[in-house]
Amino acid sequence: MERIDNKLLESILTEDIVTKLFKGNFGLEKENVRVSKDGKLSLTPHPAIFGDKLKNPYIKTDFSESQVEVITPVCNSIDELYDYIENLQNIVSLSIGEEYLWPQSNPPILPSNEEIPIAVFSEEGKEERLYREKLSEKYGRKKQLLSGIHYNFSFKEEFINSLYKSLGEGESLKEFKNKIYLKITRNFIKYRWFLIYLTGASPVFHETYLDRCTDDIQELADRSCYFKNMMSLRNSKWGYKNKEDYLVNYDSLEQYIGSIQRLINDGKLDNASEFYGPVRLKSTCKRCSQEKLMKDGIEYLEIRILDLNPLNKNGIFIEDLYLVHLFMIYMLFMKEGTLTESEQKIANINHKVATMAGRREDSFIYNNVGEKASFKEEALKIIDDLIDIVNKMDYKTDYLRKVIESAREKVLDVSKTYAAVITKEIIDSSYVSFHLNKAKDYYEESKRQDFSLIGYEDLELSTQILLKNAIKRGIGVEVLDREENFVRLKKDNKVEYVKQATKTSKDSYSTVLVMENKVVTKEVLKENGVRVPSGKNYNSIEDARADYELFKDKQIVVKPKSTNFGIGISIFKEEFSKGDFTRALEIAFENDKTALVEEFISGKEYRFLVIADEVVGILHRVPANVQGDGARTISELVKEKNKHPLRGKGYKTPLEKISLGEIEEMFLKAQGKNFDYVPKEGEIVYLRENSNISTGGDSIDFTDEMHESYKTMAIKSAKAAGATICGVDMMIQDIKVPLNESNYGIIELNFNPAIHIHCYPYIGKNRGAGDKVLDVLFGK
Amino acid sequence: MERIDNKLLESILTEDIVTKLFKGNFGLEKENVRVSKDGKLSLTPHPAIFGDKLKNPYIKTDFSESQVEVITPVCNSIDELYDYIENLQNIVSLSIGEEYLWPQSNPPILPSNEEIPIAVFSEEGKEERLYREKLSEKYGRKKQLLSGIHYNFSFKEEFINSLYKSLGEGESLKEFKNKIYLKITRNFIKYRWFLIYLTGASPVFHETYLDRCTDDIQELADRSCYFKNMMSLRNSKWGYKNKEDYLVNYDSLEQYIGSIQRLINDGKLDNASEFYGPVRLKSTCKRCSQEKLMKDGIEYLEIRILDLNPLNKNGIFIEDLYLVHLFMIYMLFMKEGTLTESEQKIANINHKVATMAGRREDSFIYNNVGEKASFKEEALKIIDDLIDIVNKMDYKTDYLRKVIESAREKVLDVSKTYAAVITKEIIDSSYVSFHLNKAKDYYEESKRQDFSLIGYEDLELSTQILLKNAIKRGIGVEVLDREENFVRLKKDNKVEYVKQATKTSKDSYSTVLVMENKVVTKEVLKENGVRVPSGKNYNSIEDARADYELFKDKQIVVKPKSTNFGIGISIFKEEFSKGDFTRALEIAFENDKTALVEEFISGKEYRFLVIADEVVGILHRVPANVQGDGARTISELVKEKNKHPLRGKGYKTPLEKISLGEIEEMFLKAQGKNFDYVPKEGEIVYLRENSNISTGGDSIDFTDEMHESYKTMAIKSAKAAGATICGVDMMIQDIKVPLNESNYGIIELNFNPAIHIHCYPYIGKNRGAGDKVLDVLFGK
């Protein structure tokens, strides 16, 4: 603990603000190049679904048209951040058609330099294009394809304020903040070798990157190569670096800006963005001048040394994010120290050792007093300090200890480092196939998570889908009230409030009220020539009896106005006497003070999702069932069916697992069956009467099979109520027979139709309902 | 009962359709001329508030610009009909400024013929104007000013169907229906003298009507005159009649149409509308040709003999409507009979007897076999038949018997007839003052009913007001769901659905959802620079405590997220310690799992009703209170205050009566007072803590007193939420001091603001909020 500023540490501990130390402002920027299924750099354009790359805040291109960059919004915690990067990973990898995201910082099989496509921009992006062309000339396009992760971080204002109150020495808050971040930066520069060792994950590259495998490179079978003991090509001299290791002054913000400016004046850099240091001091103003940074002060730090980790779908393990954060805290807690030019040069040497020779058992670095020291021993000292810090703070102690102990293992056993593991795996298979297999696995994993927005699984699936679709298009999303599924969407200057995915500004309040009121809905539909179960409400049995004549030649349902589980309902499909009618009324009136006599409409029920005068999807629901194979029991068939990836428990998935409970048992018993019954091949056995998805029912898409006439009627019904977004429940006798006056009937209009059911049916296609809602809100 | 067709009567009784006999299609058309406060015919234009007289279906002008005609929609029962005519009466009499509705069929003081203004029409109404000019030439304008009531009636289709099934003889349903109505018509023509006797109410007229009081006329002091024994001038030869009593054939519809056509061909009538018979056969197609009537068949009957009854505000007693309906039923139940030309002439003689000599004790008529018979005895025979019919039907028997017995009294004692009573009253005062006093009384009565829509008192007051305002403008109204206050408004081709008066199509669903969600509302307001109580929600006491620093220099409220009656709330208006804060949090968390720490905003609360970017009304509510006079006790003062016409019980009125219950007693006790305490002159004593109107609070309008800056802010707040109709609840320190950053705060946005409170405040003007809503829905 000799390096720790104990006064500082204690002041934080007593200030009871440890929690705030872990609630910072976190952001990630991650690049991946797109590759074809054979591991070659994709030459196709950035997918149109992501919209204008200048305007989508989440999904852009970096240098190359083939290089997708995802950017999380500012998150309050690492957990939130990790969820976001995972969502972006899932969204992008499922939206790039037949291609994969290359999970490695080092590029896949590359074409010639000139064939690498620079990102294409609209007229508005002219400068972006010019800048990229300059880079291309100066560094070559291949180098620009090295992809990685930038980690942006700042403490919460409240935390800085607390520190300022207890440690400020008369300077302004801004000056104090600059001081804090500069201290962290100086220390980070000195000790970054530690993180490179632990996170470096680009040890092998493809021959096409350097155009040849040189003498000191081990060549592998598939034309890939590696430097022995390398951790990170990307951080090495062959990586994404300036022509030289420029020395920059970090003593004060003014000096920092001054030294960058000198590099620009000397023609070494084109602008400040071209300074590829391991860490950058930033203001939240993007593309702002250095003067602006001076004025605003340092608002966050950008850590630039993290490789894509191909061992993780998201390019980084969450444990490593915690490790980085702990490391930053450690840098904060260190005693004040200088970063002279010579110290900076030492740090650069140590950086090289970590990238190139980190895996040598006997590698050494220069310690902070400038003496040679064992790499391993110096790293262990840091590990011990980190453990000490964690022990002193009452925050996720066990978890954080594990994170550090895992780092310790990597220090003690170099074969456990990501670089070593990756190298070994590549030697065992090949550079391309190792990464392609990973990419495929990750694609499948994303696919399994398609219906959920990680970190927001408490939201309704419809809302999760809507948000994912919004993010994909670059529509800003914000959850205003999680319990209510209330979100705000923003694009350019347009703001839309949406609740439960389909309650939007596009429907007027009175339209919703019409749909909400069953009596009014029927009235409105009837007036518009739509067939609804005709019927009447009665408040007295006498009034109802008097209308016997009206109904006696029809098929009718007699029911209480409000009914649960079909209690009190009588159905007459054939002729019935006044006595029968009276008895049915008596039963209905036992259950409610209002009874309904309604025409019985036969057929199957279909849900039409109508959005802006278009039928987006049509769904029919079937009660929980299994289909026999002549061999397995019902129990076994249910178990098998429940393995379906869309089936889960507790409405977290589009379909629910079928239960083998009492109700199912009773229902089978009524059919003379039990769970051990072996259905014949092709025999369908139902386990429930109701077709609810929530009790294991199947949803089957009929959008393409439905006769057009019913779609036209569904649209007409929605229009009658004035609805933009509407679930139309229609009874249909035969979906292949054109609609006529008596073979269908509208049961209900739903003003808050679920969209997820049309995206993830048990049988059928994803109808992209979320995108349709967004089309209506923001245009196509 | 010799005249009754017993087979017919029995068939109806056994068919169990008596109820249907009383549920018909009823309509009234009623004219009143407008008069100035001194009883002279008004020469002002038809009030603009009623809109285009061609398009307002409820309120038009008849012949003269000064002659308001109100028209009920088709009603299902007499009760419904009577409510409607009363509403129209109330609406019109309160919308004609400084004038009154003249309650008498005979005109008020008239100017010269040429000065009587013919109704003015837009270009569209050219034909209406021309027709009136023709009438003016042919009959003189004065005659056209005779006002009366037309009673439109038909049986329900279901009833006709039932009759058709049991009595049809092979003819088509249409033919059968024609037969039924023609039979009723023939009988009605024969026996109409009976109704004229009982309803005639125009026995006296003003000299200016005939320009002089002739020899056989009794002249009264104020230049009014009467014929001795007259029941109805309007139905007499001086009344609203054709040049001759044209005989028309009622044997079949064809012959009826034929005989009218002959009169037209002979130049005696200009068109069918000019046939002023006592009853007309009509199809529902207005202004349609006689061919159309032939094609459609008779759809209803128009009874034209009813005078305005000045003894009733609505121009007719509901008992008389029941009497007329019973009489029509009686005409139906009569045995089939002819109506030969000579029978028709006899009927016309009897008509004259009833109008001119009905009140002579010894007057006689010709009975249906053509013999002279005592008027009284013949009338009593009808009375007996009516009683018999009522006794045979199980429907409102007691009530209907009373109606008939009251008619019997009028038959037995001619001084009890309306005509006699009116004549006597006029002789006691004068023609003009009698009717003017009645008109004034009726105006006052209408005023007391201003806030309610008769027959719809179960609706919320806001909805009642909206509907009344709509009717006034000629917007078609329909209540779709009474319990839900769900109405449909129609004008021209525009349809609007409105729930609870202010839930309309003009607000989008998402706007409503924003306002419904308090957290989101605050967020949106804050973003738009509107001051809201800043604050945070906490799910744990630890999180909340950690934010002590954030709040410690502010005035705050600590409260459970949901709270009733202020339980669990702590308010800190001055400095407080972390210990105080913790204790307050503990109390809040005892009452809810979420606690709110909110800035305390001082001041008084005002409700701003914002409609379409305009502040329509501003209201402040004060708890139930009395102001002392130094003499009376609190009990006495409350009793006095409760006499206010706006105060009632059970939310049927804009204000509630103050209770003298336990809560009030306790509240006074806390002040060291009781109900017998005599407050000093000017002393205000509060009886409640809460300012709810429902517990006797006062509402005070501040629309004109409020500084403009707060109105601007209210509009800004509504705009922030995107609301068209919005109740903005604002805390204000001093309404005279311009708004600044800290002297106000928005507490809540309400998406369903009541409008009635702004129309009928305890102190202040009616702000016409219903009209503002209609302006938004249908344009001004």
Side-chain angles (χ1 to χ4, degrees), chain B residues 294-307:
Chain B
M294 191 63 226
K295 190 168 157 282
D296 292 350
I298 304 166
E299 289 178 309
Y300 69 98
L301 300 179
E302 182 187 48
I303 307 300
R304 302 165 52 82
I305 57 169
L306 299 174
D307 281 351

Side-chain angles (χ1 to χ4, degrees), chain A residues 302-507:
Chain A
E302 181 187 48
I303 307 300
R304 303 166 50 84
I305 56 168
L306 300 173
D307 280 351
L308 285 180
N309 189 337
L311 299 175
N312 185 289
K313 182 184 80 177
N314 306 315
I316 189 161
F317 286 94
I318 188 169
E319 289 79 4
D320 290 330
L321 285 174
Y322 271 103
L323 181 70
V324 172
H325 186 58
L326 275 177
F327 186 77
M328 302 298 280
I329 291 173
Y330 177 43
M331 301 296 101
L332 168 69
F333 288 161
M334 275 193 175
K335 289 174 188 152
E336 282 291 351
T338 55
L339 182 67
T340 60
E341 289 211 349
S342 67
E343 281 173 317
Q344 210 167 141
K345 282 180 186 164
I346 290 173
N348 290 344
I349 292 169
N350 291 345
H351 174 115
K352 274 179 204 140
V353 170
T355 54
M356 299 295 293
R359 281 153 59 202
R360 275 177 59 172
E361 276 298 320
D362 60 347
S363 71
F364 60 87
I365 58 160
Y366 292 92
N367 67 13
N368 63 335
V369 290
E371 301 158 346
K372 268 191 180 182
S374 153
F375 190 102
K376 193 176 283 188
E377 276 170 31
E378 286 299 311
L380 287 175
K381 275 188 203 163
I382 295 174
I383 296 277
D384 288 338
D385 280 354
L386 291 175
I387 284 282
D388 276 345
I389 291 171
V390 165
N391 284 342
K392 287 209 171 164
M393 295 186 307
D394 185 19
Y395 187 84
K396 293 193 178 189
T397 315
D398 289 346
Y399 175 78
L400 294 176
R401 258 195 223 129
K402 270 184 211 152
V403 167
I404 303 166
E405 289 308 331
S406 153
R408 192 197 300 274
E409 279 177 37
K410 291 189 182 94
V411 170
L412 292 173
D413 181 356
V414 80
S415 74
K416 291 187 172 158
T417 58
Y418 298 131
V421 171
I422 292 162
T423 307
K424 185 169 182 307
E425 293 238 30
I426 291 173
I427 292 170
D428 288 351
S429 59
S430 84
Y431 180 74
V432 172
S433 65
F434 166 73
H435 287 110
L436 265 188
N437 284 335
K438 285 289 180 193
K440 279 177 207 167
D441 290 350
Y442 298 154
Y443 170 84
E444 291 301 330
E445 201 181 316
S446 291
K447 213 169 168 189
R448 281 193 299 276
Q449 295 175 319
D450 193 19
F451 48 78
S452 39
L453 186 67
I454 314 290
Y456 290 90
E457 291 92 342
D458 53 321
L459 297 179
E460 293 174 355
L461 285 175
S462 287
T463 296
Q464 293 183 51
I465 290 166
L466 187 77
L467 292 179
K468 285 184 92 161
N469 288 346
I471 291 169
K472 186 169 65 189
R473 294 167 168 227
I475 294 167
V477 305
E478 208 180 335
V479 179
L480 298 177
D481 190 325
R482 292 181 81 117
E483 280 176 33
E484 300 222 323
N485 289 274
F486 206 145
V487 305
R488 175 157 55 188
L489 305 178
K490 274 186 195 170
K491 193 180 174 188
D492 304 330
N493 291 319
K494 201 166 176 356
V495 177
E496 291 285 350
Y497 294 87
V498 178
K499 191 170 161 180
Q500 296 176 291
T502 52
K503 297 178 173 176
T504 77
S505 69
K506 297 298 164 182
D507 278 303

Side-chain angles (χ1 to χ4, degrees), chain A residues 20 165 481 484 486 488 497 499 503-505 507-510 512-514 517 523-524 527 546 751, chain B residues 20 481 484 486 488 497 499 503-505 507-510 512-514 517 523-524 527 546 549 751:
Chain A
K20 285 176 187 156
K165 277 184 194 163
D481 190 325
E484 300 222 323
F486 206 145
R488 175 157 55 188
Y497 294 87
K499 191 170 161 180
K503 297 178 173 176
T504 77
S505 69
D507 278 303
S508 83
Y509 194 22
S510 69
V512 168
L513 295 170
V514 165
N517 187 306
E523 175 82 14
V524 169
E527 282 176 1
F751 60 91
Chain B
K20 285 176 188 156
D481 189 325
E484 299 224 321
F486 205 146
R488 174 157 54 188
Y497 294 88
K499 192 170 162 178
K503 296 177 174 176
T504 77
S505 68
D507 278 303
S508 83
Y509 194 22
S510 68
V512 169
L513 295 171
V514 165
N517 187 306
E523 175 83 15
V524 170
E527 283 176 0
E549 295 283 327
F751 61 91

Side-chain angles (χ1 to χ4, degrees), chain A residues 499-770:
Chain A
K499 191 170 161 180
Q500 296 176 291
T502 52
K503 297 178 173 176
T504 77
S505 69
K506 297 298 164 182
D507 278 303
S508 83
Y509 194 22
S510 69
T511 286
V512 168
L513 295 170
V514 165
M515 291 194 269
E516 199 181 52
N517 187 306
K518 302 306 159 216
V519 178
V520 175
T521 301
K522 269 171 77 170
E523 175 82 14
V524 169
L525 288 177
K526 211 165 65 188
E527 282 176 1
N528 282 274
V530 177
R531 185 166 185 244
V532 289
S534 67
K536 287 175 85 172
N537 289 349
Y538 297 97
N539 295 317
S540 87
I541 201 160
E542 291 69 34
D543 284 358
R545 284 190 70 238
D547 277 347
Y548 168 68
E549 295 284 328
L550 227 66
F551 297 113
K552 71 171 196 217
D553 302 323
K554 294 174 180 158
Q555 297 197 333
I556 61 162
V557 187
V558 180
K559 58 184 176 186
K561 191 179 174 193
S562 305
T563 176
N564 277 324
F565 312 114
I567 292 167
I569 295 186
S570 309
I571 299 179
F572 295 109
K573 293 197 186 176
E574 283 164 36
E575 224 178 300
F576 55 96
S577 70
K578 194 158 183 176
D580 296 337
F581 186 54
T582 307
R583 268 191 302 283
L585 287 167
E586 282 164 2
I587 294 167
F589 275 108
E590 275 165 26
N591 290 285
D592 201 321
K593 55 181 188 175
T594 304
L596 247 81
V597 181
E598 219 174 58
E599 190 185 351
F600 176 79
I601 295 191
S602 58
K604 283 185 181 172
E605 188 180 334
Y606 294 83
R607 157 62 61 90
F608 290 65
L609 176 65
V610 178
I611 300 180
D613 301 340
E614 182 190 338
V615 172
V616 171
I618 302 172
L619 215 69
H620 171 58
R621 279 166 277 209
V622 177
N625 68 83
V626 287
Q627 182 164 15
D629 59 2
R632 286 179 289 182
T633 64
I634 289 180
S635 287
E636 289 163 345
L637 290 166
V638 165
K639 210 170 161 189
E640 180 64 28
K641 190 164 182 173
N642 281 346
K643 286 182 187 160
H644 193 287
L646 294 182
R647 290 193 192 269
K649 283 270 175 206
Y651 320 117
K652 300 282 176 223
T653 50
L655 297 169
E656 285 291 302
K657 288 187 193 294
I658 301 171
S659 296
L660 291 174
E662 236 175 280
I663 299 173
E664 288 79 6
E665 197 176 354
M666 295 294 289
F667 192 72
L668 285 177
K669 201 174 168 186
Q671 304 169 60
K673 300 187 176 92
N674 61 30
F675 294 142
D676 296 329
Y677 171 78
V678 178
K680 286 184 273 297
E681 192 168 345
E683 180 185 356
I684 290 172
V685 178
Y686 291 97
L687 288 100
R688 278 273 188 167
E689 186 165 16
N690 67 314
S691 58
N692 299 21
I693 298 302
S694 59
T695 54
D698 292 340
S699 53
I700 304 169
D701 177 82
F702 279 94
T703 313
D704 297 330
E705 290 77 11
M706 183 66 65
H707 191 274
E708 275 304 315
S709 54
Y710 299 100
K711 297 183 190 176
T712 306
M713 183 52 73
I715 293 168
K716 186 177 173 179
S717 304
K719 263 188 184 162
T724 303
I725 301 179
C726 179
V728 179
D729 289 334
M730 201 186 298
M731 296 295 291
I732 300 175
Q733 280 175 16
D734 185 341
I735 65 167
K736 296 289 179 200
V737 173
L739 174 143
N740 63 41
E741 275 185 14
S742 63
N743 65 357
Y744 83 102
I746 305 286
I747 300 298
E748 197 178 318
L749 298 184
N750 195 310
F751 60 91
N752 183 213
I755 56 173
H756 73 272
I757 55 175
H758 300 282
C759 298
Y760 303 99
Y762 181 59
I763 300 174
K765 281 193 236 172
N766 184 333
R767 297 293 171 180

Side-chain angles (χ1 to χ4, degrees), chain B residues 23 195 216 223 341 358 424 475 505 547 603 635 647 659 768:
Chain B
K23 277 187 185 149
L195 283 187
D216 49 353
R223 296 169 55 214
E341 288 211 350
K424 184 169 182 303
I475 294 168
S505 68
D547 277 346
S635 289
R647 289 193 193 269
S659 298

Side-chain angles (χ1 to χ4, degrees), chain B residues 439-490:
Chain B
K440 279 178 208 166
D441 291 350
Y442 299 154
Y443 170 84
E444 291 300 331
E445 201 180 315
S446 292
K447 213 170 167 187
R448 280 194 298 277
Q449 296 174 320
D450 192 20
F451 49 78
S452 37
L453 185 66
I454 315 289
Y456 290 91
E457 292 91 342
D458 53 321
L459 298 179
E460 293 174 357
L461 285 174
S462 287
T463 296
Q464 293 183 51
I465 291 166
L466 187 76
L467 292 179
K468 286 185 93 160
N469 288 346
I471 290 168
K472 185 170 64 187
R473 294 167 169 225
I475 294 168
V477 304
E478 209 180 333
V479 180
L480 299 177
D481 189 325
R482 291 181 84 118
E483 279 177 32
E484 299 224 321
N485 290 274
F486 205 146
V487 305
R488 174 157 54 188
L489 305 177
K490 274 187 193 167

